[in-house]
Amino acid sequence: MFIKRLLTLVFCLFFSAIVFGGCGCEDVPDPGDPTFCILPDTGDDDDDDDTGDDDTSDDDSDDDTVDDDTDDDDDEAEVAYVDGGGFSGAALALSSAGDIYVVSVKAREMRVYSADAWDYEVAVFDVLANPAVALDGDGRLHLSYYDWFGNRLLYAAQTDRGWDTQVVDEDGDVGHYSAIAVDGDGHVHIAYNKEVSRTSIGVRYATDAGGSWATENIDSGQDVGSFPALALDADGAPCLTYNGADEIMLACLEDKGWTNQALPDSYANQRDSGLAFDGDGDLHVVYLSTDTPDKLRHAYGVPGSLTDESIADTPTVGDTLAMTIDADKVVHFTYYNYSLAGVMYGNNAAKDWTVANIGSGTPVFIAANDVDDVVISLGGLGVFRQAGAGWSQQYFDRGFTVQDVALAADAAGNLHAVYFDSTFQALTYARQNGGAW
């Protein structure tokens, strides 16, 4: 699950937390804020192309299926070599000032690359796992990660003097999975789990808002706390989702303390839920339910008085689920349909939900500017892109084996990607301007 948290950076560092967090990933509603996300682990570490139909014939049909026309040069990526060797995970972060950062782990080094000359600095040298990444308003990176030797949650921040590393929590085996966010005042918030013998037994929360790290237990119990996702409202108040023993739980910090509730008809199956606030301050959660045959539900509104609904045409939900909200407050989601071995996409732009199978592959992240500009990253090669005239499959580097794809969007809506080319053992960056890579 390391990839999941390191990639929970481009669309939460991979339209982003990423978290390596759990997210899903969400667009930042204010263009002046940093865009940040991380991609989940696809669980597919083989060397084959799992993105589906590589048919080289020209598909010019007008239906909603994927156009795999390989004669369209606009679908090719212009790529830059970042570094060589064996890397684990990849994340991408874009600051509001236009700075581009790539984060990845090589051996025991967590490296942060700058796009100026692709030089790097070592943020952390340690035996670490599952880092989560966030950007603050000044474009500085913040990392939370698990210390394998000490079984504790650590934090590293980018400063003028270099990287500052701190112990956040060492009360038991804590922080194996974490999600991190920074509010408008620069205060850091981290949601993370506690374990015994690799079994999650609780979810905890830490913040430095008081000047030093304060930690507290939010919930506890057998199989409680895995895959925490974290979102902040406009005032910096945190809400988080996590797996309970049997249900998906939502916890939000209010004036009188934390409130916990089980999401209606939810089903805890040890995977992420989509969690985000829209521009009006309403919370949205897309999650797996006990409903039949439709397996996804959407809860929305003010924390404590949420409205929930079933999402039609969402059977056979597989291992991946991601969600985002665009500036028009439209909810977009994608998931893997294991019966069809395909990518499902849905939105509520028409107030009722519209859901369709758009092609083959395993989706891991989604970003959206609006209903006519949506991108879904795949667990293998490339992305699916909706650009107003139906879906097309776009490739970063045709013919190579691509892993750990991270995506992000800048303030102008241009997409950036970083991925690991396992054939040539190269960490690689690609940028899209307008409609082409």
Side-chain angles (χ1 to χ4, degrees), residues 146 150-153 169-175 194-196:
Y146 179 68
N151 297 328
R152 55 188 182 169
L153 177 67
D169 194 348
E170 51 186 351
D171 181 13
D173 190 351
V174 292
K194 185 172 184 176
E195 296 185 349
V196 170

Side-chain angles (χ1 to χ4, degrees), residues 217-283:
N217 194 61
I218 305 302
D219 197 358
S220 60
Q222 188 73 12
D223 296 322
V224 171
S226 62
F227 298 107
L230 175 66
L232 306 179
D233 68 16
D235 297 323
C239 281
L240 57 105
T241 57
Y242 57 94
N243 278 273
D246 300 302
E247 300 167 299
I248 304 295
M249 302 297 296
L250 171 69
C252 293
L253 182 59
E254 300 178 350
D255 292 339
K256 296 182 180 180
W258 287 92
T259 61
N260 296 57
Q261 68 176 97
L263 291 172
D265 303 311
S266 62
Y267 172 63
N269 67 336
Q270 308 301 306
R271 67 165 61 102
D272 285 314
S273 301
L275 173 70
F277 284 94
D278 65 26
D280 290 339
D282 288 330
L283 182 67

Side-chain angles (χ1 to χ4, degrees), residues 54-255:
D54 289 331
D55 182 4
T56 59
S57 63
D58 186 6
D59 177 10
D60 290 327
S61 62
D62 294 327
D63 60 18
D64 291 334
T65 58
V66 175
D67 180 359
D68 288 335
D69 181 4
T70 61
D71 295 327
D72 185 356
D73 293 336
D74 287 342
D75 286 352
E76 297 287 352
E78 295 182 6
V79 299
Y81 172 86
V82 177
D83 203 352
F87 287 85
S88 178
L92 177 64
L94 310 178
S95 75
S96 58
D99 299 316
I100 301 171
Y101 299 105
V102 170
V103 179
S104 192
V105 175
K106 184 175 184 179
R108 295 177 62 181
E109 296 179 346
M110 187 188 299
R111 296 185 177 185
V112 177
Y113 293 84
S114 173
D116 292 339
W118 295 119
D119 295 328
Y120 73 89
E121 55 183 342
V122 177
V124 176
F125 182 81
D126 208 340
V127 179
L128 57 96
N130 302 336
V133 188
L135 280 169
D136 62 27
D138 294 325
R140 296 180 183 273
L141 288 168
H142 300 255
L143 312 172
S144 61
Y145 59 97
Y146 179 68
D147 173 14
W148 273 110
F149 281 165
N151 297 328
R152 55 188 182 169
L153 177 67
L154 300 184
Y155 162 82
Q158 196 177 36
T159 72
D160 293 334
R161 302 178 304 277
W163 285 88
D164 176 31
T165 302
Q166 303 170 17
V167 176
V168 177
D169 194 348
E170 51 186 351
D171 181 13
D173 190 351
V174 292
H176 196 261
Y177 299 113
S178 67
I180 187 171
V182 184
D183 64 31
D185 294 324
H187 301 140
V188 180
H189 307 257
I190 306 174
Y192 56 100
N193 74 325
K194 185 172 184 176
E195 296 185 349
V196 170
S197 301
R198 292 280 74 87
T199 297
S200 191
I201 60 167
V203 63
R204 294 175 62 82
Y205 166 77
T207 183
D208 64 354
S212 61
W213 288 108
T215 64
E216 57 183 318
N217 194 61
I218 305 302
D219 197 358
S220 60
Q222 188 73 12
D223 296 322
V224 171
S226 62
F227 298 107
L230 175 66
L232 306 179
D233 68 16
D235 297 323
C239 281
L240 57 105
T241 57
Y242 57 94
N243 278 273
D246 300 302
E247 300 167 299
I248 304 295
M249 302 297 296
L250 171 69
C252 293
L253 182 59
E254 300 178 350
D255 292 339

